[in-house]
Amino acid sequence: MRVNAYAAPAAGQPLVPTTIERRDVGPDDVLIEIQYAGICHSDIHTVNGDWGPQPFPVVPGHEIVGIVTEVGADVTRHNVGDRVGVGCLVNSCGHCTNCQSGDEQYCANGMVPTYAGVDRDGTTTQGGYSTHVVVDADYVLSVPESLDPAAAAPLLCAGITTYAPLRRWGAGPGKKVAIVGLGGLGHMAVKIAHALGAEVTVLSQTLKKQEDGLRLGADAYYATSDPNTFEQLAGRFDLIINTVSASIDPNAYLGLLAVDGTLVNVGAPAEPLSLNVMSLIGGRRNFAGSMIGGITLTQEMLDFCATHGIGSEVEVIPADRVNEAYERVLASDVRYRFVIDTATLN
């Protein structure tokens, strides 16, 4: 079926309205009428070519919420009329060790990303800046009805990207957790870490968003542009989640960790970071990375957010403002996630 969409025709070019072909619904597939699609910084990195050559034209979008309108003959997990979500992956091999352990995002044979990837039929995957998408039912999430659908869309990337390391490294009561950056990822990390019961500190370049940070659940807020911050907080934290996509000095942040503490990078800067190994040795510290989560963990995250009333702080826009939104994301002029109302594509 042909559907309306917004696509990047080439690297660094503005997105333009277009139509794309969605495959027929197979026996294991779900057809979703998309309601909302979040705008992630990863979308901008991809269409700008920051992460290497892409199979243009590309329809971005991996924070998708919509309604099931058709299911394949063998689908039992979802029904017509269900509210569902699609995140950053739409397929994996299903049989490697990582897939079998619920870490499909680390599929040894390469997970299939929601856009700019090679789908099982050899075609290029196209994302959520569109009216409809067809996805294998095993990679479709149930979105609890108590969640506002627009606020739920960014949970499919920003939510799980921060929930996964917070859960894996034990954020909870008695743990001191710092969140670097209060943007699309950072504001979700604050909300989730607070709901998990951790003591939460925001580390941001300035105090400009301090009021927001405290409102979202932070216990403290410090400016990293103040050199006294790194002296005052030295050795304090059990866990630091770095959410920013710009380059940072990891050695400075490692110095804020207690013995056995961990700095986890979830932001993905285009440039390499420079690490002095003594920053690790000096306190038996760990420097780790984390990328989204598997399907089971993503569903756990959605249910957790529903239980705790957590959604993203969003600004809903029509599709014809997507290029303006990209400019504003790059200027840090959004609090805290743009979400496209895909009804405006019709």
Side-chain angles (χ1 to χ4, degrees), residues 210-258:
Q210 182 176 29
E211 184 176 339
D212 277 5
L214 299 177
R215 174 178 60 84
L216 296 172
D219 299 286
Y221 199 108
Y222 290 85
T224 56
S225 56
D226 181 354
N228 292 328
T229 291
F230 290 91
E231 295 179 11
Q232 185 176 351
L233 301 179
R236 176 175 178 81
F237 300 108
D238 302 296
L239 176 64
I240 300 175
I241 307 293
N242 175 31
T243 72
V244 301
S245 293
S247 293
I248 66 163
D249 178 7
N251 305 291
Y253 289 89
L254 286 164
L256 302 180
L257 291 170

Side-chain angles (χ1 to χ4, degrees), residues 136-337:
D136 185 301
D138 286 343
Y139 299 84
V140 175
L141 290 306
S142 297
V143 176
E145 288 294 326
S146 62
L147 291 173
D148 174 84
L155 299 181
L156 277 304
C157 176
I160 186 57
T161 295
T162 52
Y163 184 84
L166 288 167
R167 287 282 283 113
R168 178 169 183 79
W169 278 278
K175 296 289 187 177
K176 293 180 172 64
V177 175
I179 309 301
V180 182
L182 193 69
L185 290 174
H187 91 286
M188 289 307 311
V190 170
K191 287 188 173 190
I192 292 169
H194 173 73
L196 287 167
E199 178 185 306
V200 184
T201 298
V202 174
L203 302 175
S204 185
Q205 190 171 14
T206 70
L207 298 178
K208 183 173 65 174
K209 299 179 183 177
Q210 182 176 29
E211 184 176 339
D212 277 5
L214 299 177
R215 174 178 60 84
L216 296 172
D219 299 286
Y221 199 108
Y222 290 85
T224 56
S225 56
D226 181 354
N228 292 328
T229 291
F230 290 91
E231 295 179 11
Q232 185 176 351
L233 301 179
R236 176 175 178 81
F237 300 108
D238 302 296
L239 176 64
I240 300 175
I241 307 293
N242 175 31
T243 72
V244 301
S245 293
S247 293
I248 66 163
D249 178 7
N251 305 291
Y253 289 89
L254 286 164
L256 302 180
L257 291 170
V259 171
D260 289 328
T262 301
L263 169 62
V264 183
N265 227 71
V266 296
E271 307 83 15
L273 300 179
S274 180
L275 177 67
N276 182 340
V277 72
M278 293 304 295
S279 299
L280 302 176
I281 293 173
R284 203 166 61 205
R285 301 181 179 106
N286 309 287
F287 187 23
S290 180
M291 182 182 74
I292 59 171
I295 297 301
T296 298
L297 189 67
T298 304
Q299 188 63 61
E300 177 187 307
M301 177 274 304
L302 287 168
D303 295 339
F304 176 87
C305 288
T307 297
H308 293 274
I310 296 173
S312 181
E313 308 282 308
V314 301
E315 181 177 336
V316 178
I317 61 168
D320 61 7
R321 287 180 53 200
V322 64
N323 293 303
E324 174 193 340
Y326 274 25
E327 293 176 2
R328 287 180 57 192
V329 169
L330 293 173
S332 298
D333 180 26
V334 56
R335 295 192 179 182
Y336 282 89
R337 205 69 156 185

Side-chain angles (χ1 to χ4, degrees), residues 48-114:
N48 282 345
D50 295 338
W51 292 343
Q54 303 296 330
F56 292 103
V58 168
V59 176
H62 55 207
E63 299 179 342
I64 300 168
V65 169
I67 301 296
V68 175
T69 58
E70 184 180 346
V71 298
D74 295 338
V75 174
T76 59
R77 295 179 55 182
H78 306 287
N79 298 297
V80 171
D82 287 353
R83 176 172 288 153
V84 295
V86 178
C88 301
L89 70 159
V90 292
N91 222 314
S92 66
C93 78
H95 55 73
C96 70
T97 299
N98 295 338
C99 286
Q100 288 292 306
S101 64
D103 287 322
E104 298 95 341
Q105 75 276 28
Y106 303 125
C107 176
N109 296 298
M111 65 92 162
V112 179
T114 304

